[in-house]
Amino acid sequence: QCQLNGLWRNEQDSLMEISVLRDNGDFQGKYLTRVTLSGGCAHISPLKGAQQQPGEGGWPTFAFTVHWDKFSNATTAFVGQCFVDAGGKETLTTMWLLREAVGSLEEDWKATR
């Protein structure tokens, strides 16, 4: 079975550490992104999420949010699933939406990536 707790690295060399995984599936940790909208240096931001407890033989799905509070006025929501291959390697697959704050309703069209 795939375990979300621990340290994860993505293709852009960003790191995610899930340090608390509760019995009910709630988790928290931190995200160190190497990708920023401003092109600046890496920043650590808090994350909170929940894991759907899989049925027998299933792979868990999960969702979490990251609030980029130190360097951006944006929040990102991730959803994904955890898999284990035949060699025992754990892999997370995710999709994300990033929402930036904008100054008006007329600018709403450009706020979500």
PDB file of all heavy atoms in Angstrom, residues 3 15 18 21 23 25 29 31-32 47 52 62-63 77 79 91 104 108 111:
ATOM      1  N   GLN A   3       2.042   4.902   0.931  1.00  0.00           N
ATOM      2  CA  GLN A   3       2.020   5.760   2.112  1.00  0.00           C
ATOM      3  C   GLN A   3       2.367   7.189   1.706  1.00  0.00           C
ATOM      4  O   GLN A   3       3.427   7.429   1.148  1.00  0.00           O
ATOM      5  CB  GLN A   3       3.040   5.269   3.149  1.00  0.00           C
ATOM      6  CG  GLN A   3       2.763   3.886   3.678  1.00  0.00           C
ATOM      7  CD  GLN A   3       1.470   3.839   4.475  1.00  0.00           C
ATOM      8  OE1 GLN A   3       1.174   4.746   5.249  1.00  0.00           O
ATOM      9  NE2 GLN A   3       0.697   2.793   4.272  1.00  0.00           N
ATOM     10  N   LEU A  15       9.974  20.101  -3.575  1.00  0.00           N
ATOM     11  CA  LEU A  15       9.853  19.070  -2.547  1.00  0.00           C
ATOM     12  C   LEU A  15       8.562  19.247  -1.766  1.00  0.00           C
ATOM     13  O   LEU A  15       8.147  20.371  -1.489  1.00  0.00           O
ATOM     14  CB  LEU A  15      11.025  19.150  -1.570  1.00  0.00           C
ATOM     15  CG  LEU A  15      12.414  18.906  -2.134  1.00  0.00           C
ATOM     16  CD1 LEU A  15      13.468  19.189  -1.069  1.00  0.00           C
ATOM     17  CD2 LEU A  15      12.549  17.488  -2.641  1.00  0.00           C
ATOM     18  N   ILE A  18       5.177  15.406   3.797  1.00  0.00           N
ATOM     19  CA  ILE A  18       3.977  15.155   4.576  1.00  0.00           C
ATOM     20  C   ILE A  18       4.436  14.571   5.896  1.00  0.00           C
ATOM     21  O   ILE A  18       4.964  13.461   5.954  1.00  0.00           O
ATOM     22  CB  ILE A  18       3.007  14.220   3.839  1.00  0.00           C
ATOM     23  CG1 ILE A  18       2.543  14.916   2.555  1.00  0.00           C
ATOM     24  CG2 ILE A  18       1.820  13.854   4.725  1.00  0.00           C
ATOM     25  CD1 ILE A  18       1.666  14.080   1.666  1.00  0.00           C
ATOM     26  N   LEU A  21       0.137  12.339   9.175  1.00  0.00           N
ATOM     27  CA  LEU A  21      -0.932  11.631   8.474  1.00  0.00           C
ATOM     28  C   LEU A  21      -1.781  10.955   9.537  1.00  0.00           C
ATOM     29  O   LEU A  21      -1.338  10.012  10.188  1.00  0.00           O
ATOM     30  CB  LEU A  21      -0.369  10.613   7.490  1.00  0.00           C
ATOM     31  CG  LEU A  21      -1.365   9.767   6.701  1.00  0.00           C
ATOM     32  CD1 LEU A  21      -2.314  10.636   5.898  1.00  0.00           C
ATOM     33  CD2 LEU A  21      -0.623   8.804   5.788  1.00  0.00           C
ATOM     34  N   ASP A  23      -5.145   8.991  11.305  1.00  0.00           N
ATOM     35  CA  ASP A  23      -5.893   7.771  11.001  1.00  0.00           C
ATOM     36  C   ASP A  23      -7.103   8.024  10.117  1.00  0.00           C
ATOM     37  O   ASP A  23      -7.507   7.158   9.341  1.00  0.00           O
ATOM     38  CB  ASP A  23      -6.347   7.077  12.290  1.00  0.00           C
ATOM     39  CG  ASP A  23      -5.176   6.475  13.057  1.00  0.00           C
ATOM     40  OD1 ASP A  23      -4.107   6.252  12.454  1.00  0.00           O
ATOM     41  OD2 ASP A  23      -5.334   6.226  14.263  1.00  0.00           O
ATOM     42  N   GLY A  25      -7.213  10.053   7.653  1.00  0.00           N
ATOM     43  CA  GLY A  25      -6.756  10.451   6.324  1.00  0.00           C
ATOM     44  C   GLY A  25      -6.320  11.890   6.206  1.00  0.00           C
ATOM     45  O   GLY A  25      -5.710  12.280   5.212  1.00  0.00           O
ATOM     46  N   GLY A  29       1.716  19.241   6.107  1.00  0.00           N
ATOM     47  CA  GLY A  29       3.144  19.228   5.840  1.00  0.00           C
ATOM     48  C   GLY A  29       3.582  20.558   5.275  1.00  0.00           C
ATOM     49  O   GLY A  29       3.001  21.604   5.570  1.00  0.00           O
ATOM     50  N   TYR A  31       5.527  22.468   1.587  1.00  0.00           N
ATOM     51  CA  TYR A  31       5.871  22.368   0.176  1.00  0.00           C
ATOM     52  C   TYR A  31       6.972  23.382  -0.102  1.00  0.00           C
ATOM     53  O   TYR A  31       6.831  24.559   0.207  1.00  0.00           O
ATOM     54  CB  TYR A  31       4.639  22.687  -0.678  1.00  0.00           C
ATOM     55  CG  TYR A  31       4.715  22.193  -2.092  1.00  0.00           C
ATOM     56  CD1 TYR A  31       4.088  21.013  -2.465  1.00  0.00           C
ATOM     57  CD2 TYR A  31       5.407  22.904  -3.056  1.00  0.00           C
ATOM     58  CE1 TYR A  31       4.143  20.555  -3.773  1.00  0.00           C
ATOM     59  CE2 TYR A  31       5.476  22.454  -4.366  1.00  0.00           C
ATOM     60  CZ  TYR A  31       4.842  21.290  -4.717  1.00  0.00           C
ATOM     61  OH  TYR A  31       4.909  20.840  -6.006  1.00  0.00           O
ATOM     62  N   LEU A  32       8.068  22.912  -0.654  1.00  0.00           N
ATOM     63  CA  LEU A  32       9.193  23.774  -1.023  1.00  0.00           C
ATOM     64  C   LEU A  32       9.217  23.834  -2.536  1.00  0.00           C
ATOM     65  O   LEU A  32       9.608  22.872  -3.200  1.00  0.00           O
ATOM     66  CB  LEU A  32      10.514  23.217  -0.495  1.00  0.00           C
ATOM     67  CG  LEU A  32      11.788  23.930  -0.955  1.00  0.00           C
ATOM     68  CD1 LEU A  32      11.845  25.341  -0.390  1.00  0.00           C
ATOM     69  CD2 LEU A  32      13.023  23.155  -0.557  1.00  0.00           C
ATOM     70  N   LEU A  47       1.023  23.079   3.752  1.00  0.00           N
ATOM     71  CA  LEU A  47      -0.007  22.375   3.006  1.00  0.00           C
ATOM     72  C   LEU A  47      -0.891  21.601   3.968  1.00  0.00           C
ATOM     73  O   LEU A  47      -0.451  21.202   5.048  1.00  0.00           O
ATOM     74  CB  LEU A  47       0.583  21.444   1.950  1.00  0.00           C
ATOM     75  CG  LEU A  47       1.357  20.192   2.371  1.00  0.00           C
ATOM     76  CD1 LEU A  47       0.441  19.019   2.656  1.00  0.00           C
ATOM     77  CD2 LEU A  47       2.334  19.811   1.284  1.00  0.00           C
ATOM     78  N   GLN A  52      -8.241   9.776   0.774  1.00  0.00           N
ATOM     79  CA  GLN A  52      -9.367   8.854   0.798  1.00  0.00           C
ATOM     80  C   GLN A  52      -8.817   7.478   1.131  1.00  0.00           C
ATOM     81  O   GLN A  52      -7.901   6.997   0.470  1.00  0.00           O
ATOM     82  CB  GLN A  52     -10.065   8.823  -0.566  1.00  0.00           C
ATOM     83  CG  GLN A  52     -11.188   7.832  -0.672  1.00  0.00           C
ATOM     84  CD  GLN A  52     -12.360   8.181   0.235  1.00  0.00           C
ATOM     85  OE1 GLN A  52     -12.651   9.341   0.438  1.00  0.00           O
ATOM     86  NE2 GLN A  52     -13.002   7.179   0.782  1.00  0.00           N
ATOM     87  N   PHE A  62      -6.176  11.478  -3.077  1.00  0.00           N
ATOM     88  CA  PHE A  62      -5.926  12.519  -2.084  1.00  0.00           C
ATOM     89  C   PHE A  62      -6.126  13.885  -2.710  1.00  0.00           C
ATOM     90  O   PHE A  62      -6.167  14.031  -3.933  1.00  0.00           O
ATOM     91  CB  PHE A  62      -4.512  12.403  -1.503  1.00  0.00           C
ATOM     92  CG  PHE A  62      -3.433  12.484  -2.555  1.00  0.00           C
ATOM     93  CD1 PHE A  62      -2.906  13.709  -2.942  1.00  0.00           C
ATOM     94  CD2 PHE A  62      -2.953  11.333  -3.168  1.00  0.00           C
ATOM     95  CE1 PHE A  62      -1.926  13.791  -3.915  1.00  0.00           C
ATOM     96  CE2 PHE A  62      -1.975  11.407  -4.148  1.00  0.00           C
ATOM     97  CZ  PHE A  62      -1.460  12.628  -4.518  1.00  0.00           C
ATOM     98  N   ALA A  63      -6.236  14.875  -1.850  1.00  0.00           N
ATOM     99  CA  ALA A  63      -6.300  16.271  -2.271  1.00  0.00           C
ATOM    100  C   ALA A  63      -5.613  17.112  -1.206  1.00  0.00           C
ATOM    101  O   ALA A  63      -5.654  16.768  -0.025  1.00  0.00           O
ATOM    102  CB  ALA A  63      -7.745  16.722  -2.438  1.00  0.00           C
ATOM    103  N   ALA A  77      -4.586  24.124  -5.465  1.00  0.00           N
ATOM    104  CA  ALA A  77      -5.264  22.903  -5.048  1.00  0.00           C
ATOM    105  C   ALA A  77      -4.755  21.757  -5.918  1.00  0.00           C
ATOM    106  O   ALA A  77      -4.705  21.876  -7.149  1.00  0.00           O
ATOM    107  CB  ALA A  77      -6.772  23.044  -5.207  1.00  0.00           C
ATOM    108  N   VAL A  79      -5.025  17.480  -6.683  1.00  0.00           N
ATOM    109  CA  VAL A  79      -5.726  16.217  -6.497  1.00  0.00           C
ATOM    110  C   VAL A  79      -4.891  15.143  -7.170  1.00  0.00           C
ATOM    111  O   VAL A  79      -4.202  15.401  -8.156  1.00  0.00           O
ATOM    112  CB  VAL A  79      -7.161  16.219  -7.080  1.00  0.00           C
ATOM    113  CG1 VAL A  79      -8.050  17.187  -6.332  1.00  0.00           C
ATOM    114  CG2 VAL A  79      -7.162  16.509  -8.561  1.00  0.00           C
ATOM    115  N   THR A  91       4.679   6.275  -6.392  1.00  0.00           N
ATOM    116  CA  THR A  91       4.568   7.416  -7.300  1.00  0.00           C
ATOM    117  C   THR A  91       3.247   8.121  -7.051  1.00  0.00           C
ATOM    118  O   THR A  91       2.211   7.469  -6.938  1.00  0.00           O
ATOM    119  CB  THR A  91       4.626   6.954  -8.775  1.00  0.00           C
ATOM    120  OG1 THR A  91       5.868   6.279  -9.005  1.00  0.00           O
ATOM    121  CG2 THR A  91       4.504   8.128  -9.724  1.00  0.00           C
ATOM    122  N   SER A 104     -10.279  42.771  -9.683  1.00  0.00           N
ATOM    123  CA  SER A 104     -11.664  43.056 -10.059  1.00  0.00           C
ATOM    124  C   SER A 104     -12.290  41.832 -10.712  1.00  0.00           C
ATOM    125  O   SER A 104     -11.591  40.928 -11.176  1.00  0.00           O
ATOM    126  CB  SER A 104     -11.730  44.226 -11.043  1.00  0.00           C
ATOM    127  OG  SER A 104     -11.163  43.845 -12.280  1.00  0.00           O
ATOM    128  N   ASP A 108     -11.127  38.386 -13.598  1.00  0.00           N
ATOM    129  CA  ASP A 108     -11.298  37.006 -13.145  1.00  0.00           C
ATOM    130  C   ASP A 108     -10.817  35.983 -14.175  1.00  0.00           C
ATOM    131  O   ASP A 108     -10.281  34.946 -13.819  1.00  0.00           O
ATOM    132  CB  ASP A 108     -12.759  36.749 -12.793  1.00  0.00           C
ATOM    133  CG  ASP A 108     -12.982  35.371 -12.229  1.00  0.00           C
ATOM    134  OD1 ASP A 108     -12.399  35.072 -11.162  1.00  0.00           O
ATOM    135  OD2 ASP A 108     -13.697  34.572 -12.876  1.00  0.00           O
ATOM    136  N   ALA A 111      -7.236  34.680 -13.617  1.00  0.00           N
ATOM    137  CA  ALA A 111      -6.827  34.364 -12.245  1.00  0.00           C
ATOM    138  C   ALA A 111      -6.505  32.894 -11.990  1.00  0.00           C
ATOM    139  O   ALA A 111      -5.810  32.576 -11.042  1.00  0.00           O
ATOM    140  CB  ALA A 111      -7.913  34.815 -11.270  1.00  0.00           C
TER     141      ALA A 111
END
